[in-house]
Amino acid sequence: MRIALATAIAAFTLDEDLPPLRAALEARGHHAEPVAWDDPTVSWARFDLVLLRSTWNYTQQPDAFLRWCEAVADRTRLLNPPALVRWNTDKRYLGELAQAGLPVVPSHYLAPGEDPASFPAFDEFVVKPCIGAGSRDTQRYTAPNRAAAVAHVRRLLEAGRHVLVQPYLEAVDTQGETALLFFDGHYSHAIRKGPLLARDGEATRALFAPEAISPREPSAAEFEVAHRVLAAIPGGPPLYARVDLLPGADGPRLLELELTEPSLFFPFAPGSAERFAAALDTVLATP
């Protein structure tokens, strides 16, 4: 098959997953080609399949990105599919998962037109846009800096963006974040991500914030939560899913469910790109 690995013009040299993924796909007889979603000269119909990979700048033009997903799906197959991408790119899906009984990091949402100071008081908390990636426009605040946080919320709301405010879980500073990777519903590997946000620090201006990554073996409790999250995905587990968990006082808490353009951290798990390629062939063989 001719497979497009959808990235972004700005991410071509930044996505460390692309070389091992391309090699694994081509070892199975596919032709794989990195192509930027924001390159208007691309003819997507010439590919049998388009894999969403490092389309990391979609948050700057989410409506255009979703229209692009629909247009590509009209011409060829897109994975993960547009309906799932539309649901997953707005972090308000976390509210749906919480209502379904999953242990989600407590979340308070604000919509444009609402009072930017109407979120609960926390000793330490994080402000982020509901449509965002790579920690862009995301900052960690302490209670004495609530006025700065309110100003941050106001800027996002006035730009027409929905906002998410969450308490900062202090165990993250010592234990980090655990990301579990699943391909076609089957566990592949996991990584530890060190704490990203400095207390009362500035938001990153780069495409994504620098990350400290290392392999990790998840705990039994993390596996249990991750499998519950997978089971709650509309339509069932897709080709790829990354479940990002934080250590809470009462057990693992879901921070994000990444189904659109997550890094899959192939360089940190030998054989993982090959497992992805095998899972893709299984999905393609399923009617």
Side-chain angles (χ1 to χ4, degrees), residues 69-122:
C69 288
E70 297 287 355
V72 168
D74 285 342
R75 292 166 174 79
T76 185
R77 188 172 184 179
L78 181 73
L79 292 177
N80 287 327
L84 192 58
V85 169
R86 182 176 293 276
W87 177 78
N88 184 242
T89 48
D90 189 322
K91 291 180 179 59
R92 285 177 289 179
Y93 73 81
L94 290 170
E96 296 179 28
L97 296 179
Q99 289 179 353
L102 291 168
V104 176
V105 174
S107 303
H108 183 83
Y109 301 93
L110 296 98
E114 294 184 348
D115 179 359
S118 63
F119 57 89
F122 301 109

Side-chain angles (χ1 to χ4, degrees), residues 124-127 135 137-142 145 148-149 152 155 168 196-205:
E124 197 160 4
F125 57 98
V126 175
V127 173
S135 297
D137 296 317
T138 298
Q139 290 179 251
R140 172 184 172 186
Y141 294 95
T142 54
N145 273 336
H152 181 183
R155 288 193 301 272
Y168 188 81
L196 287 174
L197 303 176
R199 182 178 288 122
D200 294 321
E202 296 292 329
T204 182
R205 297 182 181 276

Side-chain angles (χ1 to χ4, degrees), residues 89-229:
T89 48
D90 189 322
K91 291 180 179 59
R92 285 177 289 179
Y93 73 81
L94 290 170
E96 296 179 28
L97 296 179
Q99 289 179 353
L102 291 168
V104 176
V105 174
S107 303
H108 183 83
Y109 301 93
L110 296 98
E114 294 184 348
D115 179 359
S118 63
F119 57 89
F122 301 109
D123 290 337
E124 197 160 4
F125 57 98
V126 175
V127 173
K128 63 179 74 171
C130 286
I131 298 178
S135 297
R136 292 191 304 279
D137 296 317
T138 298
Q139 290 179 251
R140 172 184 172 186
Y141 294 95
T142 54
N145 273 336
R146 182 179 174 90
V150 171
H152 181 183
V153 173
R154 179 179 290 108
R155 288 193 301 272
L156 293 173
L157 295 178
E158 290 178 349
R161 305 174 75 180
H162 289 254
V163 177
L164 172 60
V165 180
Q166 297 172 310
Y168 188 81
L169 305 185
E170 62 181 18
V172 174
D173 286 339
T174 55
Q175 299 179 41
E177 172 185 334
T178 301
L180 295 87
L181 285 301
F182 294 85
F183 304 146
D184 191 26
H186 300 286
Y187 173 73
S188 171
H189 59 287
I191 58 94
R192 176 190 186 275
K193 186 183 295 186
L196 287 174
L197 303 176
R199 182 178 288 122
D200 294 321
E202 296 292 329
T204 182
R205 297 182 181 276
L207 192 59
F208 55 86
E211 299 175 334
I213 306 297
S214 58
R216 166 170 273 180
E217 182 62 28
S219 67
E222 288 172 330
F223 272 122
E224 190 269 336
V225 170
H227 282 292
R228 287 175 59 195
V229 171

Side-chain angles (χ1 to χ4, degrees), residues 256-277:
E256 289 193 40
L257 171 60
E258 299 269 12
L259 308 177
T260 301
E261 37 60 63
S263 292
L264 301 176
F265 305 111
F266 293 136
F268 295 90
S272 55
E274 290 74 17
R275 290 191 290 273
F276 183 98

